[in-house]
């Protein structure tokens, strides 16, 4: 009986430590045993992203096994887009365009920031990142921060890296990246 109690306490402590090691996003706990969508819906700074993922019918994809690396723009990042443009993207007729924009934030790999930084260093400071949406982002370092430049020259900075998910990793970014126009 005591052994069972000790084993249970050890497992509970281990699970708590695993969750505690994952960074919080917008003040919300992110659980490494949950998938990208399950965690994103709890982030108070990703409500626009979650609404867009639902509108673009990408919930099942991003809940799938992956692995995925998602560069997740915050609500403030979406706030940089003109309101009428954002509203137009959220209309049913723009589902394909919205899906392409969102998948230009997704890589079919589990890439932690240290791996990305290593690839940048190996490529003399500029590493091309092929996305699921067909975009090629340019990853670079700005001091200790990873930046991503889209095909239009828009630069996003990773403001919070390495938020582990059961099906990959999320890196929070401060700008929405767009496919070539």
């Amino acid at each position: 009986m005591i052994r069972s109690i000790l084993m249970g306490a050890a497992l509970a402590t281990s699970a708590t430590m695993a969750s505690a090691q994952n960074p919080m996003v917008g003040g919300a706990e992110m659980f490494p045993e949950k998938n990208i969508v399950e965690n994103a819906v709890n982030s108070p700074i990703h409500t626009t992203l979650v609404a867009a993922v639902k509108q673009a019918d990408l919930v099942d994809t991003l809940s799938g096994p992956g692995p995925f690396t998602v560069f997740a723009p915050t609500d403030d990042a979406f706030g940089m887009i003109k309101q009428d443009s954002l509203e137009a993207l959220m209309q049913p007729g723009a589902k394909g365009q919205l899906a392409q924009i969102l998948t230009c934030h997704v890589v079919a790999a589990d890439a932690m920031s240290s791996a990305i930084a290593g690839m940048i260093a190996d490529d003399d400071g500029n590493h091309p990142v092929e996305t699921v949406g067909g975009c090629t982002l340019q990853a670079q370092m700005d001091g200790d921060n990873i930046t991503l430049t889209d095909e239009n020259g828009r630069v996003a900075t990773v403001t919070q890296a390495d938020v582990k998910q059961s099906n990959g990793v999320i890196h929070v970014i401060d700008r929405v990246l767009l496919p070539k126009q």
Side-chain angles (χ1 to χ4, degrees), residues 131-153:
T131 69
V132 173
C135 300
T136 301
L137 307 175
Q138 301 302 318
Q140 299 175 324
M141 297 300 298
D142 182 10
D144 291 336
N145 296 317
I146 294 170
T147 63
L148 300 162
T149 304
D150 70 16
E151 296 167 333
N152 303 295

Side-chain angles (χ1 to χ4, degrees), residues 36-95:
I36 289 165
V37 173
E38 291 170 331
N39 273 320
V41 298
N42 291 322
S43 170
I45 63 171
H46 288 101
T47 59
T48 307
L49 177 62
V50 169
V53 166
K54 289 177 182 177
Q55 180 63 28
D57 287 334
L58 292 174
V59 171
D60 289 343
T61 300
L62 294 175
S63 296
F68 302 111
T69 297
V70 175
F71 297 105
T74 63
D75 292 338
D76 288 344
F78 278 100
M80 293 180 197
I81 298 173
K82 291 179 184 174
Q83 187 63 32
D84 58 336
S85 297
L86 187 56
E87 287 175 8
L89 280 172
M90 295 297 280
Q91 297 303 310
K95 189 180 290 190

Side-chain angles (χ1 to χ4, degrees), residues 1-180:
M1 172 87 166
I2 291 176
R3 182 178 176 174
S4 294
I5 292 171
L6 289 175
M7 287 293 284
L11 288 173
T13 301
S14 161
T16 301
M17 287 174 57
S19 292
Q21 293 174 349
N22 217 21
M24 293 179 74
V25 175
E29 193 166 359
M30 298 288 113
F31 299 96
E33 66 275 5
K34 290 188 176 186
N35 68 45
I36 289 165
V37 173
E38 291 170 331
N39 273 320
V41 298
N42 291 322
S43 170
I45 63 171
H46 288 101
T47 59
T48 307
L49 177 62
V50 169
V53 166
K54 289 177 182 177
Q55 180 63 28
D57 287 334
L58 292 174
V59 171
D60 289 343
T61 300
L62 294 175
S63 296
F68 302 111
T69 297
V70 175
F71 297 105
T74 63
D75 292 338
D76 288 344
F78 278 100
M80 293 180 197
I81 298 173
K82 291 179 184 174
Q83 187 63 32
D84 58 336
S85 297
L86 187 56
E87 287 175 8
L89 280 172
M90 295 297 280
Q91 297 303 310
K95 189 180 290 190
Q97 184 182 9
L98 180 61
Q100 183 186 18
I101 290 169
L102 294 175
T103 55
C104 280
H105 292 80
V106 180
V107 178
D110 187 345
M112 299 298 276
S113 63
S114 59
I116 297 169
M119 290 182 263
I120 293 168
D122 290 346
D123 286 341
D124 295 323
N126 185 48
H127 179 71
V129 177
E130 300 291 329
T131 69
V132 173
C135 300
T136 301
L137 307 175
Q138 301 302 318
Q140 299 175 324
M141 297 300 298
D142 182 10
D144 291 336
N145 296 317
I146 294 170
T147 63
L148 300 162
T149 304
D150 70 16
E151 296 167 333
N152 303 295
R154 298 165 59 96
V155 179
T157 300
V158 173
T159 58
Q160 188 168 16
D162 302 335
V163 185
K164 192 72 181 133
Q165 316 291 302
S166 65
N167 60 345
V169 61
I170 289 176
H171 302 292
V172 178
I173 60 173
D174 64 357
R175 188 136 195 214
V176 176
L177 302 165
L178 299 174
K180 193 172 189 174

